[in-house]
Amino acid sequence: MNKNLIENIDFFKNLDSKQIDLVLKNLELRDYKKDQTIFKENSPKDSGVFFVVNGIVNILKPSSSEVLIGIPEGDHFNLLSVFYDNDEKRDYTAVANVDVKVAFLAKNLILRMCVEDKSFKKIIYDESSKRHDLFKLFKIFTNLYGNKINHKGFQEIVSAGDFIDLPDNTNLFELGEQSDSIFFLVSGLLKAFVPSNGSLIPVGEIYEGEVIGEMGILSDEPRSASVYSTRRSLVFKLSKSTTTMLMMKHPEIILQFANKIADRLRVIQTPTEDSSLRTDIFSILTVSLGEGQKRQSTNIGKTLSNAISSISSCYYLSKEVVNKLLNINDINKELASRENFGPLEDLLIRLCSEYRYLILLCDVDYTLWTSWCMSVSETDIYLVNPMVGINNQKLLDAVESEEKKVPSYLHDEKQIMIYHKLRNVIPKGTYKYFEKISPVMKHFHIALDDSKDIERVARTLIGKSIGLCLAGGGAKGNAHIGVYKALIENAIPVDIVCGTSAGGIIASLIASGHSPDKIIEMLKISYAKNVFKEYTVPYSSIIATNKVVEDAKILSENRNIEDLWLPLFTCAVNISTSELAVLDRGPIWEATRATAALPGILLPVIKGDSLLVDGGLINNMPGDILLDRFGGKLISVSVSPEEGLVANFDKFPHQGVHLIKKLLFRSKKSDSNIPNIGDILMRSIMASSEAKSLEVEKMSDIFLNPKIDNVGMLEFESIDKSVEMGYSYTMRKLEKIDINQLFE
């Protein structure tokens, strides 16, 4: 090919004479008539680079005949596709604007030249990244301002602005700084923070394509928050003067800014999740070393990715996968240093544009690959084999060393996944892992022989979990067992469970992995002991506590909350501080005793220097806490009386006489509406948190309120009756509900 044909193509100006001669030998000239399609959207990829020798090539918007951008003479397109070893289809259409001549360089030839010439490879990578960034920025501007900014105007803006490459955990600007510029997030993820109680708390995330700082530009006020990168990010910066000039030239941009501000305020007031805006990235670290651990970690990573893929789009990325995608032998050798992450960054940009979730499997050592994985992820999942324990101290030390370099509020969220070979084991000793990995936001137990466990983890990780919230209600709370049985029969999984008072006790038994029949059996044995009839000197409580505690320990099998198969928490009230106490760690018996400690009936639970009593005083149905912690879908169950106590008597009778009459004439209906002390206390407790319960009802995806007739608040012996009423009500209710909504 004649060298003169390519002398005006900018890309070739970066090559030396030897490289140009090699390229010329492999270039293929192609001619296209005006309006002729070079390639179509969704067609198989003709992998390679197109250089425009003369004419203009139009790139059309996806699924549209509207021109997105024109590629002029001397420019090129389709370079990024060279570095991905896949057969995916094109996401845009290229059409000749006029009669066009292009030079085509095939992918296989480019890759061969990259192997033979390292400097050529760097040029290819740098140019690919640059062009991709410009293309994304152009799409941002056209999405924001439509066709008001043409290609020429865009070039002027690019020349007037600056690209800023932000490593992970790097500050873009601080709260209170002068608003002297506006930013456009080209790639990556940013997070905004504001001060609270001497630290910084996150108040929002900024996704690719969003504008940052427009409010300060318009109002001339200082920055309202501090903004940091949570993974390596690229932003485009325009000065205030350039932005002002742009708005004067295109006044409609002011309106666009105003609309963006209004949208942001609406999001703050009514938070919503648009899954198209971001990619969530999880890194998996192997902290248990031993024979077969690497293989096991790989299997778990792939299985988790597949489980997420069944719900949404997810991609699994290990060192071996990267090596294949980038056509290299070893990414760690290829990187050489953290400053040479270019190929990986390009790959990440591509994957983030195509997938909602990424699963990254780190090396068992703190390699450059591991370092990169942790730098781009927001959540680190530590895999623990309880048969081995946490013995990869070298990796943990390296992670801790890296964490010390950044403020704590920028640290990735830590989660632990403890995997057991079989379901029939009883997890124990989980607290030991929290001592080595801190702070842990969530933890999971999974059995490798039960696929439902990994599916549960997948739903929880991506905010699609199904939570079950059980309200207090004394003996009426036994109806929760029937509700749970109905959920099982309708194939509705429970991923997290919580409750208050009686609901907390049933929740703990569900979280322990017991079937409904087993729960009924266990409770009947417990109720037969009549521990609530062991009265004491009524100074701090009416009922003696020792036997209640003993029974609670037996019922919980002396297990800890953190050892349960399902995440669990109960609610109590700290009467020392007048605050709600959420109990999600420590002995189950302590959590259930505290959540059901009726004031005056049972002694408060002593925890540290605090006294804990029945959580129904503040929050009898803590579904709001469950949603705040886990998100997802909420099934809440109330067993509160539908009718209040009505005084069909002029005055309370003599209590002793009335008690004798009730014992002697159980069937007599006179004075039947006179409440006992249990009814009064339970109804008083539930009434105090009724407003909170109504709020939870509104935020529930499924709200269940079985009417448990003719069962007193302390009538625990009627368990079969309560269970059946809860079961039959729920089965009827679910027939009228679209259950599929829980899995959307």
Side-chain angles (χ1 to χ4, degrees):
M1 182 181 294
N2 191 330
K3 187 183 277 187
N4 293 332
L5 286 174
I6 63 169
E7 64 182 3
N8 293 324
I9 297 176
D10 291 338
F11 175 81
F12 296 112
K13 296 176 182 179
N14 298 317
L15 307 182
D16 59 30
S17 57
K18 183 179 178 181
Q19 291 166 338
I20 290 177
D21 289 340
L22 185 59
V23 168
L24 287 173
K25 291 179 182 178
N26 296 296
L27 278 176
E28 174 191 347
L29 282 178
R30 298 180 180 181
D31 292 302
Y32 297 92
K33 297 293 184 180
K34 181 182 178 182
D35 298 328
Q36 185 179 351
T37 299
I38 300 171
F39 54 72
K40 293 186 70 174
E41 182 183 1
N42 295 322
S43 64
K45 288 188 174 180
D46 185 11
S47 294
V49 188
F50 295 83
F51 301 94
V52 183
V53 177
N54 54 54
I56 298 174
V57 175
N58 287 337
I59 304 298
L60 307 184
K61 291 183 177 180
S63 305
S64 172
S65 59
E66 187 178 349
V67 177
L68 175 65
I69 190 172
I71 309 297
E73 183 178 310
D75 213 335
H76 61 268
F77 58 97
N78 207 51
L79 178 58
L80 193 64
S81 67
V82 169
F83 301 103
Y84 302 93
D85 187 20
N86 55 49
D87 298 321
E88 295 177 20
K89 296 182 177 181
R90 300 186 181 279
D91 52 11
Y92 61 90
T93 297
V95 180
N97 179 271
V98 295
D99 289 351
V100 172
K101 185 184 292 292
V102 300
F104 177 74
L105 187 59
K107 170 183 175 175
N108 62 324
L109 297 172
I110 294 175
L111 293 178
R112 191 186 70 192
M113 293 172 65
C114 287
V115 173
E116 296 173 355
D117 190 335
K118 295 292 185 183
S119 64
F120 179 77
K121 182 178 182 177
K122 187 176 186 310
I123 292 171
I124 289 287
Y125 275 137
D126 290 347
E127 183 67 14
S128 169
S129 180
K130 175 185 173 184
R131 300 299 299 181
H132 189 265
D133 295 339
L134 285 170
F135 190 63
K136 289 189 71 173
L137 183 62
F138 184 79
K139 288 201 294 185
I140 290 172
F141 272 91
T142 53
N143 288 337
L144 288 172
Y145 314 120
N147 295 323
K148 303 301 180 181
I149 299 177
N150 56 29
H151 186 61
K152 183 179 179 181
F154 173 68
Q155 293 294 338
E156 294 176 358
I157 293 170
V158 170
S159 300
D162 296 293
F163 282 99
I164 301 175
D165 190 2
L166 293 175
D168 60 294
N169 300 323
T170 302
N171 174 254
L172 178 63
F173 55 73
E174 290 284 0
L175 171 73
E177 286 184 3
Q178 185 64 36
S179 300
D180 60 352
S181 51
I182 188 172
F183 303 90
F184 302 84
L185 182 57
V186 180
S187 63
L189 182 66
L190 305 177
K191 188 172 287 187
F193 297 87
V194 296
S196 177
N197 297 324
S199 184
L200 293 180
I201 60 169
V203 292
E205 292 183 328
I206 301 158
Y207 310 118
E208 292 183 8
E210 287 203 53
V211 187
I212 314 140
E214 73 281 10
M215 297 177 72
I217 289 289
L218 292 179
S219 64
D220 203 28
E221 294 181 354
R223 305 293 189 191
S224 59
S226 298
V227 174
Y228 287 81
S229 59
T230 59
R231 70 174 71 127
R232 187 171 180 180
S233 303
L234 183 70
V235 298
F236 181 73
K237 176 182 178 181
L238 279 179
S239 67
K240 185 175 181 178
S241 58
T242 302
T243 307
T244 303
M245 179 266 296
L246 180 63
M247 290 190 294
M248 291 177 62
K249 194 171 183 179
H250 303 284
E252 65 277 6
I253 290 178
I254 297 178
L255 180 61
Q256 294 287 351
F257 275 154
N259 289 336
K260 288 293 174 183
I261 293 171
D263 288 343
R264 189 160 296 174
L265 291 174
R266 279 194 292 271
V267 169
I268 293 171
Q269 295 166 0
T270 310
T272 58
E273 181 182 357
D274 185 351
S275 62
S276 66
L277 293 176
R278 64 167 293 169
T279 296
D280 286 331
I281 305 176
F282 306 95
S283 62
I284 297 178
L285 295 93
T286 303
V287 293
S288 298
L289 296 178
E291 187 177 353
Q293 293 303 127
K294 185 178 180 181
R295 182 177 65 256
Q296 193 65 268
S297 299
T298 301
N299 291 339
I300 291 174
K302 289 181 178 178
T303 305
L304 181 60
S305 178
N306 291 335
I308 295 176
S309 295
S310 68
I311 309 171
S312 184
S313 60
C314 182
Y315 194 85
Y316 168 78
L317 201 63
S318 66
K319 180 176 66 178
E320 290 72 23
V321 175
V322 168
N323 290 340
K324 182 180 179 182
L325 290 175
L326 297 182
N327 293 280
I328 56 178
N329 293 323
D330 185 351
I331 186 64
N332 284 314
K333 293 181 180 179
E334 189 75 18
L335 293 175
S337 71
R338 291 192 61 153
E339 285 69 39
N340 194 25
F341 280 166
L344 276 176
E345 301 298 339
D346 291 343
L347 178 61
L348 182 67
I349 290 170
R350 168 70 178 268
L351 293 175
C352 285
S353 68
E354 297 181 6
Y355 296 95
R356 177 68 178 85
Y357 303 97
L358 298 181
I359 299 291
L360 311 181
L361 180 65
C362 302
D363 288 333
V364 296
D365 299 317
Y366 197 76
T367 60
L368 286 170
W369 166 247
T370 299
S371 174
W372 181 82
C373 289
M374 298 189 70
S375 72
V376 300
S377 68
E378 295 89 37
T379 303
D380 299 331
I381 302 172
Y382 293 76
L383 291 185
V384 178
N385 181 351
M387 300 298 293
V388 178
I390 297 178
N391 59 358
N392 194 354
Q393 196 59 48
K394 191 175 179 180
L395 176 62
L396 291 177
D397 290 343
V399 171
E400 184 180 357
S401 177
E402 289 295 315
E403 287 180 340
K404 289 179 179 178
K405 299 177 182 179
V406 298
S408 59
Y409 54 83
L410 292 176
H411 290 174
D412 295 340
E413 179 177 302
K414 295 181 181 180
Q415 302 186 15
I416 298 178
M417 187 186 301
I418 305 107
Y419 57 94
H420 310 268
K421 188 176 181 180
L422 302 171
R423 163 63 71 180
N424 60 8
V425 303
I426 298 178
K428 58 182 179 180
T430 307
Y431 70 92
K432 295 183 294 185
Y433 309 136
F434 301 150
E435 297 172 354
K436 289 198 171 187
I437 302 171
S438 180
V440 176
M441 299 301 294
K442 297 184 183 76
H443 74 281
F444 309 94
H445 288 276
I446 65 169
L448 298 180
D449 65 336
D450 191 343
S451 62
K452 293 181 180 178
D453 280 344
I454 204 74
E455 292 169 1
R456 165 173 56 83
V457 174
R459 287 192 295 271
T460 305
L461 285 177
I462 67 175
K464 301 287 186 180
S465 59
I466 300 175
L468 178 63
C469 175
L470 307 178
K476 294 177 184 287
N478 287 326
H480 293 314
I481 307 169
V483 172
Y484 180 51
K485 181 181 179 182
L487 294 178
I488 293 173
E489 293 184 7
N490 282 273
I492 298 175
V494 174
D495 301 319
I496 306 107
V497 63
C498 71
T500 297
S501 197
I505 295 172
I506 305 298
S508 72
L509 296 171
I510 293 172
S512 298
H514 299 309
S515 68
D517 289 341
K518 180 64 176 178
I519 295 173
I520 294 171
E521 178 189 335
M522 295 173 72
L523 288 176
K524 282 184 175 181
I525 294 172
S526 173
Y527 297 155
K529 298 174 185 177
N530 288 322
V531 296
F532 289 102
K533 295 183 179 180
E534 295 287 334
Y535 301 109
T536 185
V537 178
Y539 183 76
S540 297
S541 69
I542 294 175
I543 295 174
T545 305
N546 290 343
K547 288 189 177 181
V548 175
V549 170
E550 181 183 339
D551 183 61
K553 289 181 178 180
I554 294 172
L555 200 61
S556 70
E557 301 168 306
N558 274 316
R559 296 173 67 182
N560 285 352
I561 293 177
E562 54 267 34
D563 294 328
L564 296 177
W565 286 106
L566 295 183
L568 165 77
F569 67 85
T570 69
C571 288
V573 174
N574 187 334
I575 57 175
S576 302
T577 63
S578 300
E579 296 176 331
L580 188 72
V582 178
L583 307 174
D584 57 2
R585 299 271 178 94
I588 298 173
W589 74 262
E590 189 177 69
T592 55
R593 242 288 281 127
T595 193
L598 287 170
I601 302 294
L602 289 172
L603 285 174
V605 171
I606 302 172
K607 195 166 181 71
D609 58 356
S610 296
L611 298 175
L612 306 181
V613 298
D614 196 305
L617 289 166
I618 294 179
N619 195 338
N620 196 48
M621 196 161 56
D624 56 326
I625 300 173
L626 190 152
L627 288 177
D628 183 60
R629 291 189 168 198
F630 295 92
K633 304 291 185 176
L634 175 64
I635 303 172
S636 55
V637 189
S638 173
V639 289
S640 59
E642 293 186 357
E643 299 179 356
L645 289 173
V646 179
N648 61 349
F649 46 87
D650 296 326
K651 64 178 182 178
F652 280 95
H654 187 281
Q655 295 190 59
V657 174
H658 178 69
L659 179 60
I660 293 172
K661 288 172 65 178
K662 294 286 285 186
L663 292 173
L664 294 176
F665 308 103
R666 288 183 175 270
S667 63
K668 193 173 181 180
K669 295 184 179 181
S670 62
D671 294 343
S672 61
N673 217 36
I674 296 174
N676 60 41
I677 187 172
D679 283 328
I680 294 172
L681 280 169
M682 291 296 301
R683 288 175 178 262
S684 298
I685 286 174
M686 289 189 293
S688 67
S689 62
E690 184 65 22
K692 174 63 71 173
S693 296
L694 290 173
E695 289 179 14
V696 174
E697 178 180 347
K698 293 177 182 178
M699 62 180 66
S700 300
D701 296 274
I702 295 178
F703 176 72
L704 304 171
N705 189 16
K707 187 177 181 181
I708 314 303
D709 292 321
N710 301 318
V711 176
M713 291 289 190
L714 301 180
E715 197 175 327
F716 296 102
E717 65 274 13
S718 300
I719 181 172
D720 289 330
K721 184 179 180 180
S722 298
V723 170
E724 176 54 33
M725 285 189 285
Y727 172 77
S728 57
Y729 166 88
T730 305
M731 293 297 287
R732 292 193 305 271
K733 187 82 170 181
L734 293 178
E735 288 179 357
K736 303 175 183 178
I737 296 176
D738 181 12
I739 296 175
N740 292 324
Q741 65 173 300
L742 294 172
F743 303 96
E744 295 175 350

